[in-house]
Amino acid sequence: MGTTVRRAVLLGGLLWMAGVAQATAPEKAPLPRQLQFDFKATVQADGSVMDVEPDAALPEPIRAMIRTRVATWRYTPLRWQGNAVPSPVLQQIKAETVSMPNGGVALRVIEVTGQTRTFRSADRPAGVPMPPPRFPPELMREGVNAVLVYSVLYDEAGKPQQVDLVYPAKSDRVTKRLDQAARDAMREWVAPQTFGGEAIVCRARVPITFTTTVDGRSLRVPPEVDASFGKYTDLCPAAKLETEVVGTFL
């Protein structure tokens, strides 16, 4: 019997997935089981965290663990033109199970990202504000996995006015094809940016990941790419996690 491999397009916190049948691969050594936990919280103007609310569907012991752990984290607060204000954050903790010497199991943090929403190809609604790129079928068949990072300048209506591919720096056949798919989607985007209830013109870092596997940990963006956004003075305000949590335990 065959298995199903997910083909996905990930843009920031938006994930589009479609199932494709594939012959069963030879068995390999089991990998640590990966889990995802969603939560929302409020980042105060001083960067502290309050009102942590894990996904209500999680077991209460896990919810209590997340509340206790996240309450110790610190964020760079939401800022615009020198002013900091409290802001809500929606985050997803990706963790893996680790067997302990005493026979127990611990949860080790792999990554903390924005929450992920899933759209199946057959259920994709018409007129969504940020339609995901269409994964080029020929590249899906080739098993392509790639991440592209853009600098996108939004106008007051939330329409992209300037789209620059920041990563990868070198373009090949695959990158050009994926870049075109991403730009075709972004032409339809409407993502108004606001601060204090007022519409603003600002620039956002937009990662888009095209992947044919569930485990995308190998698709890391080099740190210098994120650091390069520090040169912009018009970045859209966003609270950013400061606490180093990757590799720590919940």
Side-chain angles (χ1 to χ4, degrees), residues 1 7 13 22 30 44 52-53 91 106 128 132 134 144 152 161 164 167 176 190 201 210 213 236:
M1 182 180 293
R7 311 299 195 188
Q22 175 175 291
Q44 301 294 89
V52 181
E53 295 184 25
Q91 300 270 261
V128 295
R134 298 185 183 279
V144 165
V152 180
Q161 294 301 306
D164 298 321
Y167 175 83
K176 289 179 179 178
V190 180
V201 175
F210 295 85
T213 64
C236 297

Short mmCIF file of all heavy atoms in Angstrom, two decimals, residues 1 7 13 22 30 44 52-53 91 106 128 132 134 144 152 161 164 167 176 190 201 210 213 236:
data_model
loop_
_atom_site.label_atom_id
_atom_site.label_comp_id
_atom_site.label_asym_id
_atom_site.label_seq_id
_atom_site.Cartn_x
_atom_site.Cartn_y
_atom_site.Cartn_z
N MET A 1 0.86 -1.20 0.00
CA MET A 1 0.00 0.00 0.00
C MET A 1 0.89 1.24 0.00
O MET A 1 1.92 1.28 0.65
CB MET A 1 -0.91 0.01 1.22
CG MET A 1 -1.87 1.20 1.24
SD MET A 1 -2.95 1.17 2.70
CE MET A 1 -3.93 -0.29 2.28
N ARG A 7 2.52 17.90 -0.23
CA ARG A 7 3.18 18.93 -1.04
C ARG A 7 2.68 20.25 -0.49
O ARG A 7 1.47 20.47 -0.41
CB ARG A 7 2.81 18.80 -2.52
CG ARG A 7 2.95 17.39 -3.08
CD ARG A 7 4.35 16.84 -3.01
NE ARG A 7 4.48 15.67 -3.88
CZ ARG A 7 5.53 14.89 -3.92
NH1 ARG A 7 6.55 15.12 -3.12
NH2 ARG A 7 5.57 13.86 -4.74
N GLY A 13 2.86 32.65 7.94
CA GLY A 13 2.05 31.75 8.75
C GLY A 13 0.96 31.07 7.96
O GLY A 13 -0.01 30.60 8.53
N GLN A 22 2.48 8.20 -3.10
CA GLN A 22 3.86 7.82 -3.39
C GLN A 22 4.08 6.42 -2.86
O GLN A 22 3.54 6.04 -1.81
CB GLN A 22 4.84 8.79 -2.71
CG GLN A 22 6.31 8.39 -2.86
CD GLN A 22 7.22 9.45 -2.28
OE1 GLN A 22 7.30 10.53 -2.84
NE2 GLN A 22 7.89 9.14 -1.20
N PRO A 30 13.45 5.15 13.41
CA PRO A 30 12.43 6.13 13.78
C PRO A 30 13.03 7.45 14.21
O PRO A 30 14.03 7.50 14.93
CB PRO A 30 11.71 5.45 14.96
CG PRO A 30 12.70 4.46 15.50
CD PRO A 30 13.48 4.00 14.31
N GLN A 44 3.54 43.00 26.33
CA GLN A 44 3.45 44.33 26.90
C GLN A 44 4.47 45.27 26.27
O GLN A 44 5.40 44.84 25.58
CB GLN A 44 3.64 44.28 28.42
CG GLN A 44 2.64 43.40 29.14
CD GLN A 44 1.24 43.95 29.06
OE1 GLN A 44 0.49 43.66 28.13
NE2 GLN A 44 0.87 44.78 30.03
N VAL A 52 -1.30 34.35 28.57
CA VAL A 52 -0.96 33.25 27.66
C VAL A 52 -2.12 32.27 27.59
O VAL A 52 -2.58 31.75 28.61
CB VAL A 52 0.32 32.52 28.14
CG1 VAL A 52 0.66 31.40 27.18
CG2 VAL A 52 1.47 33.50 28.28
N GLU A 53 -2.63 32.02 26.39
CA GLU A 53 -3.77 31.12 26.19
C GLU A 53 -3.41 30.05 25.16
O GLU A 53 -3.50 30.29 23.96
CB GLU A 53 -5.00 31.89 25.72
CG GLU A 53 -5.54 32.90 26.73
CD GLU A 53 -6.81 33.56 26.24
OE1 GLU A 53 -7.51 32.94 25.40
OE2 GLU A 53 -7.10 34.67 26.67
N GLN A 91 1.32 32.43 18.12
CA GLN A 91 2.55 31.70 17.90
C GLN A 91 2.30 30.20 17.86
O GLN A 91 1.29 29.70 18.38
CB GLN A 91 3.55 31.99 19.02
CG GLN A 91 3.94 33.47 19.14
CD GLN A 91 5.13 33.83 18.30
OE1 GLN A 91 6.23 33.91 18.80
NE2 GLN A 91 4.91 34.07 17.01
N ALA A 106 10.59 13.96 27.33
CA ALA A 106 10.57 15.42 27.46
C ALA A 106 10.28 16.05 26.10
O ALA A 106 10.42 15.40 25.06
CB ALA A 106 11.89 15.93 28.01
N VAL A 128 -9.60 34.93 -1.16
CA VAL A 128 -8.91 35.05 0.12
C VAL A 128 -7.93 36.21 0.04
O VAL A 128 -7.37 36.49 -1.02
CB VAL A 128 -8.19 33.75 0.50
CG1 VAL A 128 -9.17 32.63 0.74
CG2 VAL A 128 -7.19 33.35 -0.57
N PRO A 132 -2.26 31.61 -1.45
CA PRO A 132 -0.91 31.04 -1.51
C PRO A 132 -0.47 30.83 -2.94
O PRO A 132 -1.29 30.66 -3.84
CB PRO A 132 -1.07 29.71 -0.78
CG PRO A 132 -2.50 29.36 -0.96
CD PRO A 132 -3.25 30.66 -0.95
N ARG A 134 0.81 28.94 -6.24
CA ARG A 134 0.54 27.61 -6.76
C ARG A 134 1.88 26.92 -6.99
O ARG A 134 2.71 27.41 -7.75
CB ARG A 134 -0.25 27.69 -8.06
CG ARG A 134 -1.62 28.33 -7.88
CD ARG A 134 -2.43 28.28 -9.17
NE ARG A 134 -3.71 28.96 -9.02
CZ ARG A 134 -4.77 28.43 -8.47
NH1 ARG A 134 -4.71 27.20 -7.99
NH2 ARG A 134 -5.90 29.11 -8.37
N VAL A 144 11.03 19.17 -5.32
CA VAL A 144 11.76 20.39 -4.97
C VAL A 144 11.39 20.87 -3.57
O VAL A 144 10.22 20.84 -3.18
CB VAL A 144 11.46 21.50 -6.00
CG1 VAL A 144 11.88 22.87 -5.48
CG2 VAL A 144 12.16 21.18 -7.31
N VAL A 152 8.79 43.08 1.10
CA VAL A 152 7.56 43.54 0.44
C VAL A 152 7.12 44.86 1.07
O VAL A 152 6.89 44.94 2.28
CB VAL A 152 6.44 42.50 0.58
CG1 VAL A 152 5.16 43.00 -0.11
CG2 VAL A 152 6.87 41.16 -0.01
N GLN A 161 3.49 47.07 -3.18
CA GLN A 161 3.91 48.04 -4.18
C GLN A 161 5.33 47.79 -4.67
O GLN A 161 5.71 48.22 -5.75
CB GLN A 161 3.82 49.46 -3.61
CG GLN A 161 2.40 49.89 -3.30
CD GLN A 161 1.52 49.86 -4.55
OE1 GLN A 161 1.86 50.46 -5.57
NE2 GLN A 161 0.40 49.16 -4.46
N ASP A 164 10.87 42.59 -3.57
CA ASP A 164 12.27 42.29 -3.86
C ASP A 164 12.64 40.93 -3.30
O ASP A 164 12.39 40.65 -2.11
CB ASP A 164 13.20 43.34 -3.24
CG ASP A 164 12.96 44.73 -3.80
OD1 ASP A 164 12.72 44.83 -5.02
OD2 ASP A 164 13.02 45.71 -3.03
N TYR A 167 16.43 36.46 -0.78
CA TYR A 167 17.13 35.18 -0.68
C TYR A 167 16.35 34.13 -1.47
O TYR A 167 15.13 34.09 -1.40
CB TYR A 167 17.22 34.76 0.79
CG TYR A 167 17.82 33.39 1.01
CD1 TYR A 167 19.21 33.22 1.04
CD2 TYR A 167 17.01 32.27 1.17
CE1 TYR A 167 19.76 31.97 1.23
CE2 TYR A 167 17.56 31.01 1.37
CZ TYR A 167 18.93 30.87 1.39
OH TYR A 167 19.48 29.63 1.58
N LYS A 176 13.85 30.73 -10.35
CA LYS A 176 13.09 31.61 -11.25
C LYS A 176 11.64 31.15 -11.36
O LYS A 176 10.72 31.97 -11.36
CB LYS A 176 13.74 31.63 -12.63
CG LYS A 176 15.07 32.38 -12.68
CD LYS A 176 15.67 32.34 -14.08
CE LYS A 176 16.99 33.10 -14.13
NZ LYS A 176 17.62 33.03 -15.48
N VAL A 190 -3.89 41.33 -0.31
CA VAL A 190 -4.37 42.54 0.38
C VAL A 190 -4.09 42.31 1.87
O VAL A 190 -4.75 41.50 2.51
CB VAL A 190 -5.87 42.80 0.16
CG1 VAL A 190 -6.29 44.06 0.89
CG2 VAL A 190 -6.18 42.91 -1.33
N VAL A 201 2.15 52.79 5.77
CA VAL A 201 2.95 52.25 4.67
C VAL A 201 4.22 51.68 5.28
O VAL A 201 4.94 52.38 5.99
CB VAL A 201 3.31 53.36 3.65
CG1 VAL A 201 4.23 52.80 2.58
CG2 VAL A 201 2.04 53.94 3.04
N PHE A 210 8.44 26.40 -0.34
CA PHE A 210 7.86 25.36 -1.20
C PHE A 210 8.48 24.05 -0.75
O PHE A 210 9.71 23.89 -0.82
CB PHE A 210 8.19 25.61 -2.67
CG PHE A 210 7.58 26.85 -3.25
CD1 PHE A 210 8.21 28.08 -3.11
CD2 PHE A 210 6.38 26.80 -3.95
CE1 PHE A 210 7.66 29.24 -3.66
CE2 PHE A 210 5.83 27.94 -4.50
CZ PHE A 210 6.46 29.16 -4.35
N THR A 213 7.97 17.82 1.66
CA THR A 213 8.09 16.99 2.85
C THR A 213 7.41 17.68 4.01
O THR A 213 7.23 18.89 4.02
CB THR A 213 9.56 16.73 3.20
OG1 THR A 213 10.19 17.97 3.54
CG2 THR A 213 10.29 16.09 2.04
N CYS A 236 7.55 46.98 8.95
CA CYS A 236 6.25 46.94 9.62
C CYS A 236 6.44 46.53 11.08
O CYS A 236 7.26 45.66 11.38
CB CYS A 236 5.33 45.92 8.93
SG CYS A 236 4.95 46.33 7.21
#
